Amino acid sequence: MEVLEGRGLVKRYPNTVAVDGVHFRLRKGEILGLLGPNGAGKSTLIGMLSTLIPPSEGEILLDGIDVLKNPNIIRNRLGVVPQEIALYPDLTGEENLLFFGRVYGLKGKALRRRVEEVLEIINLTDRARERVGRYSGGMKRRINIGAALLHRPEILFMDEPTVGIDPQSRRLILDTIKDLNREGLTILYTSHYMEEVDFLCDRIYIMDHGKIIADGTKEELIARISNEETIELDFERNGKEFLPALEGLPGVHAVHQRGAKIEIVVEKGMVSLGKIVHLAENSKTSLLSVEVKKPTLEDLFLHLTGRGLRE
Amino acid sequence: MIWQMTIKDVKRMIRDKKALLITLLMPIVLIAILGFSVGSFMQGEITLSPAHVAVVHEDDLNRDLEKLKRVLTATPFARGIGEREMGEILGRLGSFHPAEVLTERILKDEKISSLITVETMGKAEAFRRLKEGKITAVILIPEGFAYRYWLSSLLPGISPSTVEVWQDPDQEIRAEIVEGIVRAYTDTLSAGILAKNVFQEVAVEMNRGDQAHSQIETLLTSVGKGEEKGLEVHFRSIAVEGKKSISGFQYYAAAMSAMFILFTAAFGAEYFIQESRLHTYERILLSGRGRGVLFAGRFLSTSLFSLLQMILLLLFSRFLFGVNWGDPLSLLPLLLLVSLGVGGLSLLLSAINHVAGNEKGSEIFSGFITQIMALAGGSFIPAAYLPDEVRLLGDYTINGASLQGFVKVMQGYSLREITPVFLSLSIMTLLFMAAALAISRLKEV
């Protein structure tokens, strides 16, 4: 059942169209991933859905009620974890939570109790009385999430909540998100990290240049490129003629050079490894390894846009 | 919620070392520097417009001379002095009128006239103009002044004459210039009378009294020429009723407090734009709280912080430098109104920052405009010594009005007399708030 729906959402700025006719549905209890490179329009879409950015066109419905006409109906039911650390660095973690709890109308013992609960959820009870400015990147990210949980929202928007942190903190945050979802929280999760979306999300929207270019479950999306496979070549020396020769092979859809490696997207069963080895020999390219990879969301994005997610 | 915003903002400002340094430490250091150096400031290192002095003559030269003649002929002094000699003595005495020397020769001297302009007038008019602040001081020459001077020149044990100088405490530095000139003159006269007394006493002790009498003429001749003057004059510096003179420390404690509240307003505005930069602004808006809460919190927190700032400066200056800030019952409402004015100014700067999307507005204010406002408002040089146009501009600044209020409280003005300052501060606060509201709406358009 859709809890939140965006219809034909457009956001125009003087020199650009950040979001261009997006149709969007968030179902109760799911984790919906919004995957796309930087500048794809993910944050603008979240800004519109959370009523901070007025759309140029389109409508947003929460349980069928027009949010743009009644913005207050969504505000108490929604928590937003912004991409930036939206906290006061000169206040302690606890003071920040107490303040934002009060902003959401919590008071007295109930507020104290909720702050303690949230500190436990984000695993920061021990460091709660230190100033946020002295926290590590991972701790700041966790308290940034905590501030959005204080008022027990039903829906949580998380805009790239793991940017710039170490793998250990990332893992902790991803596990916390899974736990929150298990407890019934509906989550919209944006990222340009394919692995995170892959790990967390039930359904995925892929966004680029302000448009949703694909959506579905991970399996549905991967199935779109099931007739393709990716071959990754690692080589010691690359002959000049090798790349053009690869591109000229029948069944090769795309060739991408990534540092010392080359990825070839080929039609399944159309290109044999023997042909590739033969071409390498002819162009005096000395290969170190050849690997056939399972298709990923990254491959899908590459397939759809011709670019990598992090390019 | 507004109160929670206020507490949060005050907490942040208190933890901001830069803010504390500028709003508390700097004014304390400057109060000390300016307070200690105010003496040299008053010694004429700057050009001041002249002090306007009214001279009131209650004495009458002819009547004093008649009285002197009557008294002298009835004393043992007249014995042995012929009628011709007595006439000569009276003639010479009459030709030296000490008050006239002061008011017509000394105060109208070419060099002194650049500092003082003198006008003779009646007592009632002089005091009316002094109360109106149109003149700096009134020099009052009392009845029988010349008579007492002449008598004390000739006879021992005569009570001294008194020149009274009434000052306007609002024009303290200029009034002190008048005082200094009058005092220098009267000190010279006092030295002469002391020499005469010693001369007479020694002569009597040595049984040379007659000889001493015979030298009186020589003494009087020299007095007549103004070379040797004898007069004991008591100098009385009396402030206009209800007003006290204030010290340099008092003035600069008030002046620095009035100046540094401007920086508090700028800091408040910087904190406001930081809400956007820290993205806490969006988080607050997401909760359903309007911008009004943010603006109201900014107004109250800056008002509260500036109130704390002024109270701390007051306490520091009181205990470190012994500055007397006047009647607490007058000071308290003034402090409250000043702090609300600072809150209003901070709100205006916040609105400018908000519309501009950066803190350039408050930076220009704290880096440049505060200096102009401080100068015009009298924080560097007392407003009374500034050109009229600058002083007028200063009257319409929050720091200028605050300083006026502080000085008046220190001088002991009544609450009723300070009311115009209260009104001025209240109007400024309302104007700041109205302007802030109008400017912040520009962003909605």
Side-chain angles (χ1 to χ4, degrees), chain A residues 78-81 148-149 153-158 180 185-188:
Chain A
L78 175 69
V80 177
V81 180
L149 298 174
E154 296 165 37
I155 305 166
L156 187 65
F157 289 175
M158 304 185 88
L180 289 168
L185 193 62
T186 303
I187 297 171
L188 170 63

Side-chain angles (χ1 to χ4, degrees), chain B residues 176-194:
Chain B
E176 287 197 20
I177 292 170
V178 177
E179 175 186 330
I181 291 168
V182 175
R183 191 185 290 281
Y185 172 66
T186 55
D187 283 351
T188 310
L189 296 181
S190 298
I193 196 114
L194 187 66

Side-chain angles (χ1 to χ4, degrees), chain A residues 116-134:
Chain A
E116 281 170 24
E117 284 169 13
V118 166
L119 283 167
E120 272 180 40
I121 292 170
I122 56 176
N123 203 14
L124 271 178
T125 307
D126 298 345
R127 311 288 295 273
R129 299 206 168 160
E130 287 178 32
R131 290 194 194 175
V132 167
R134 293 176 190 156

